[in-house]
Coordinates of all heavy atoms in Angstrom, one line a residue:
R107 N 5.1 -149.6 -65.0 CA 4.5 -149.6 -66.4 C 5.2 -150.8 -67.2 O 4.7 -151.1 -68.4 CB 4.9 -148.3 -67.1 CG 4.0 -147.2 -66.7 CD 4.1 -145.9 -67.2 NE 4.2 -145.9 -68.7 CZ 4.3 -144.8 -69.4 NH1 4.5 -143.6 -68.9 NH2 4.1 -144.8 -70.7
W108 N 6.1 -151.5 -66.5 CA 6.6 -152.7 -67.2 C 5.6 -153.9 -67.3 O 5.1 -154.3 -66.2 CB 8.0 -153.2 -66.6 CG 8.5 -154.3 -67.4 CD1 9.3 -154.4 -68.5 CD2 8.3 -155.7 -67.0 NE1 9.6 -155.7 -68.9 CE2 8.9 -156.5 -68.0 CE3 7.8 -156.4 -65.9 CZ2 9.1 -157.9 -68.1 CZ3 7.6 -157.7 -66.1 CH2 8.3 -158.5 -67.0
T109 N 5.4 -154.4 -68.5 CA 4.5 -155.7 -68.6 C 5.2 -156.5 -69.7 O 6.0 -156.1 -70.5 CB 3.1 -155.4 -68.9 OG1 2.9 -154.9 -70.2 CG2 2.5 -154.4 -67.9
T110 N 4.7 -157.6 -69.8 CA 5.1 -158.5 -71.0 C 4.1 -158.3 -72.2 O 4.3 -158.8 -73.2 CB 5.1 -160.0 -70.7 OG1 3.7 -160.3 -70.1 CG2 6.2 -160.3 -69.6
R111 N 3.1 -157.4 -72.0 CA 2.1 -157.2 -73.0 C 2.3 -155.7 -73.5 O 3.1 -155.0 -72.8 CB 0.6 -157.3 -72.5 CG 0.4 -158.7 -72.0 CD -0.9 -158.7 -71.3 NE -1.4 -160.1 -70.9 CZ -2.0 -160.9 -71.8 NH1 -2.3 -160.6 -73.0 NH2 -2.3 -162.3 -71.3
I112 N 1.6 -155.3 -74.5 CA 1.7 -153.9 -74.9 C 0.5 -153.2 -74.3 O -0.6 -153.4 -74.8 CB 1.6 -153.8 -76.5 CG1 2.8 -154.6 -77.1 CG2 1.8 -152.3 -76.9 CD1 2.7 -154.7 -78.6
I113 N 0.8 -152.6 -73.2 CA -0.2 -151.8 -72.4 C 0.2 -150.3 -72.5 O 1.2 -149.9 -72.0 CB -0.4 -152.3 -71.0 CG1 -0.4 -153.8 -70.9 CG2 -1.4 -151.6 -70.3 CD1 -1.8 -154.4 -71.3
V114 N -0.7 -149.6 -73.0 CA -0.5 -148.2 -73.2 C -1.3 -147.4 -72.3 O -2.6 -147.3 -72.3 CB -0.7 -147.6 -74.6 CG1 -0.4 -146.2 -74.8 CG2 0.1 -148.5 -75.7
P115 N -0.7 -146.7 -71.3 CA -1.4 -145.9 -70.3 C -2.1 -144.7 -70.9 O -1.6 -144.1 -71.8 CB -0.4 -145.5 -69.3 CG 0.9 -146.1 -69.6 CD 0.8 -146.7 -71.0
H116 N -3.1 -144.4 -70.4 CA -4.0 -143.3 -70.8 C -3.3 -141.9 -70.3 O -3.1 -141.8 -69.1 CB -5.4 -143.3 -70.2 CG -6.3 -142.3 -70.6 ND1 -6.7 -142.0 -72.0 CD2 -6.9 -141.2 -70.0 CE1 -7.5 -140.9 -72.1 NE2 -7.6 -140.4 -71.0
N117 N -3.1 -141.0 -71.2 CA -2.6 -139.7 -70.9 C -1.2 -139.7 -70.2 O -0.8 -139.0 -69.4 CB -3.6 -139.0 -69.9 CG -4.9 -138.5 -70.7 OD1 -4.8 -138.3 -71.8 ND2 -5.9 -138.4 -70.0
E118 N -0.4 -140.8 -70.6 CA 1.0 -140.8 -70.0 C 1.9 -141.0 -71.3 O 1.7 -142.0 -72.1 CB 1.2 -142.0 -69.1 CG 0.3 -141.7 -67.8 CD 0.4 -142.9 -66.9 OE1 1.7 -143.6 -66.8 OE2 -0.4 -143.4 -66.1
P119 N 2.9 -140.2 -71.3 CA 3.8 -140.3 -72.5 C 4.7 -141.4 -72.4 O 4.9 -142.0 -71.3 CB 4.6 -139.0 -72.5 CG 4.7 -138.6 -71.0 CD 3.3 -139.1 -70.5
P120 N 5.2 -141.9 -73.5 CA 6.3 -143.0 -73.5 C 7.4 -142.7 -72.5 O 7.7 -141.4 -72.3 CB 6.8 -143.3 -74.9 CG 5.7 -142.6 -75.8 CD 5.1 -141.5 -74.8
I121 N 8.0 -143.7 -71.8 CA 9.1 -143.4 -71.1 C 10.3 -143.1 -72.0 O 10.6 -143.7 -72.9 CB 9.6 -144.7 -70.3 CG1 8.4 -145.1 -69.4 CG2 10.8 -144.6 -69.5 CD1 8.2 -144.3 -68.1
T122 N 11.1 -142.0 -71.6 CA 12.3 -141.6 -72.3 C 13.6 -141.5 -71.6 O 14.6 -141.2 -72.0 CB 12.0 -140.2 -72.9 OG1 11.7 -139.2 -71.8 CG2 10.9 -140.2 -74.0
G123 N 13.5 -141.9 -70.2 CA 14.7 -141.8 -69.4 C 15.4 -143.1 -69.4 O 15.1 -144.1 -70.1
G124 N 16.4 -143.1 -68.5 CA 17.3 -144.4 -68.4 C 17.8 -144.9 -69.7 O 18.2 -144.2 -70.5
P125 N 17.6 -146.2 -69.9 CA 18.2 -146.8 -71.2 C 17.4 -146.3 -72.4 O 17.9 -146.5 -73.5 CB 18.0 -148.3 -70.9 CG 17.0 -148.4 -70.0 CD 17.1 -147.3 -69.1
F126 N 16.2 -145.8 -72.2 CA 15.4 -145.3 -73.4 C 16.1 -144.1 -74.0 O 15.6 -143.7 -75.1 CB 14.0 -145.2 -73.0 CG 13.3 -146.4 -72.6 CD1 13.4 -146.9 -71.2 CD2 12.6 -147.1 -73.5 CE1 12.7 -148.1 -70.9 CE2 11.9 -148.3 -73.2 CZ 12.0 -148.8 -72.0
R127 N 16.9 -143.3 -73.3 CA 17.6 -142.3 -73.9 C 18.6 -142.7 -74.8 O 19.0 -142.1 -75.8 CB 18.5 -141.6 -72.7 CG 17.6 -140.8 -71.8 CD 18.5 -140.1 -70.7 NE 19.2 -141.3 -70.0 CZ 20.0 -141.2 -69.0 NH1 20.3 -140.0 -68.6 NH2 20.6 -142.2 -68.5
I128 N 19.1 -144.0 -74.7 CA 20.1 -144.6 -75.6 C 19.5 -145.3 -76.8 O 20.1 -145.2 -77.9 CB 21.0 -145.5 -74.8 CG1 21.7 -144.8 -73.7 CG2 22.0 -146.2 -75.7 CD1 22.3 -145.8 -72.6
M129 N 18.5 -146.1 -76.5 CA 17.8 -146.8 -77.6 C 16.3 -146.9 -77.4 O 15.8 -146.6 -76.3 CB 18.4 -148.3 -77.7 CG 18.0 -149.1 -76.6 SD 18.9 -150.7 -76.8 CE 20.6 -150.4 -76.5
R130 N 15.6 -147.0 -78.5 CA 14.1 -147.0 -78.4 C 13.4 -148.3 -77.6 O 12.5 -148.1 -77.0 CB 13.5 -147.0 -79.8 CG 12.1 -146.6 -79.8 CD 11.7 -146.2 -81.1 NE 10.2 -145.8 -81.2 CZ 9.5 -145.4 -82.1 NH1 10.2 -145.1 -83.3 NH2 8.3 -145.2 -82.1
H131 N 14.0 -149.4 -77.9 CA 13.5 -150.7 -77.3 C 14.6 -151.3 -76.5 O 15.0 -152.6 -76.9 CB 12.8 -151.5 -78.3 CG 11.8 -150.9 -79.2 ND1 10.5 -150.7 -78.5 CD2 11.7 -150.3 -80.3 CE1 9.7 -150.2 -79.5 NE2 10.4 -149.9 -80.5
P132 N 15.1 -150.8 -75.4 CA 16.1 -151.6 -74.7 C 15.8 -152.9 -74.2 O 16.6 -153.8 -74.1 CB 16.5 -150.6 -73.6 CG 15.2 -149.8 -73.4 CD 14.6 -149.6 -74.7
N133 N 14.5 -153.1 -73.8 CA 14.1 -154.5 -73.3 C 14.3 -155.5 -74.4 O 14.7 -156.6 -74.2 CB 12.7 -154.4 -72.7 CG 12.5 -155.6 -71.9 OD1 13.2 -156.0 -71.0 ND2 11.4 -156.4 -72.2
Y134 N 13.9 -155.1 -75.6 CA 13.9 -156.1 -76.8 C 15.4 -156.3 -77.0 O 15.8 -157.4 -77.4 CB 13.2 -155.5 -77.9 CG 11.7 -155.3 -77.7 CD1 11.0 -154.4 -78.6 CD2 11.0 -156.2 -76.8 CE1 9.6 -154.2 -78.2 CE2 9.7 -156.0 -76.6 CZ 9.0 -155.0 -77.3 OH 7.6 -154.9 -77.1
F135 N 16.3 -155.3 -76.9 CA 17.6 -155.5 -77.1 C 18.1 -156.6 -76.1 O 18.9 -157.5 -76.6 CB 18.5 -154.2 -77.0 CG 20.0 -154.4 -77.0 CD1 20.6 -154.6 -78.2 CD2 20.7 -154.4 -75.8 CE1 22.0 -154.8 -78.2 CE2 22.0 -154.6 -75.8 CZ 22.7 -154.8 -77.0
V136 N 17.8 -156.6 -74.9 CA 18.2 -157.5 -73.9 C 17.7 -158.8 -74.3 O 18.5 -159.9 -74.2 CB 17.8 -156.9 -72.5 CG1 18.1 -158.2 -71.5 CG2 18.5 -155.8 -72.0
V137 N 16.5 -158.9 -74.6 CA 15.9 -160.2 -75.0 C 16.6 -160.8 -76.2 O 16.9 -162.0 -76.3 CB 14.4 -160.1 -75.2 CG1 13.8 -161.4 -75.8 CG2 13.7 -159.7 -73.8
I138 N 16.8 -160.1 -77.3 CA 17.4 -160.5 -78.5 C 18.8 -161.1 -78.1 O 19.2 -162.2 -78.5 CB 17.8 -159.4 -79.6 CG1 16.4 -158.9 -80.1 CG2 18.7 -159.7 -80.5 CD1 16.5 -157.6 -80.9
C139 N 19.6 -160.3 -77.3 CA 20.9 -160.9 -76.9 C 20.8 -162.2 -76.1 O 21.4 -163.1 -76.2 CB 21.6 -159.8 -76.1 SG 22.1 -158.5 -77.1
E140 N 19.8 -162.1 -75.1 CA 19.6 -163.3 -74.2 C 19.4 -164.6 -75.1 O 19.9 -165.7 -74.8 CB 18.7 -163.1 -73.2 CG 18.9 -162.2 -72.1 CD 17.8 -162.0 -71.1 OE1 16.6 -162.1 -71.5 OE2 18.0 -161.7 -70.0
I141 N 18.3 -164.4 -76.0 CA 18.0 -165.7 -76.8 C 19.2 -166.2 -77.5 O 19.2 -167.4 -77.8 CB 16.8 -165.3 -77.7 CG1 15.5 -165.2 -76.8 CG2 16.7 -166.2 -78.9 CD1 14.3 -164.7 -77.4
A142 N 20.2 -165.4 -78.0 CA 21.4 -165.9 -78.7 C 22.4 -166.3 -77.6 O 23.0 -167.4 -77.9 CB 21.9 -164.8 -79.6
V143 N 22.7 -165.6 -76.6 CA 23.8 -165.8 -75.7 C 23.6 -166.9 -74.9 O 24.5 -167.8 -74.6 CB 24.1 -164.5 -74.8 CG1 25.1 -164.8 -73.8 CG2 24.7 -163.4 -75.7
V144 N 22.4 -167.1 -74.3 CA 22.1 -168.3 -73.3 C 22.5 -169.6 -74.0 O 23.1 -170.4 -73.3 CB 20.7 -168.2 -72.6 CG1 20.6 -169.4 -71.9 CG2 20.7 -167.1 -71.8
P145 N 21.8 -169.9 -75.1 CA 22.2 -171.2 -75.7 C 23.8 -171.3 -76.1 O 24.4 -172.4 -75.9 CB 21.5 -171.3 -77.1 CG 20.4 -170.1 -76.9 CD 20.9 -169.2 -75.9
M146 N 24.4 -170.2 -76.4 CA 25.8 -170.2 -76.7 C 26.6 -170.4 -75.6 O 27.7 -171.0 -75.6 CB 26.2 -169.0 -77.4 CG 25.5 -168.7 -78.8 SD 25.9 -170.1 -79.9 CE 27.8 -169.7 -80.1

Side-chain angles (χ1 to χ4, degrees):
R107 287 183 55 180
W108 180 82
T109 73
T110 56
R111 297 176 178 270
I112 301 171
I113 307 291
V114 181
H116 182 66
N117 291 329
E118 293 180 36
I121 301 290
T122 57
F126 293 87
R127 289 177 300 182
I128 301 166
M129 66 182 73
R130 189 162 180 179
H131 297 285
N133 195 55
Y134 298 152
F135 172 78
V136 171
V137 171
I138 288 165
C139 293
E140 285 177 333
I141 284 177
V143 169
V144 171
M146 294 302 293

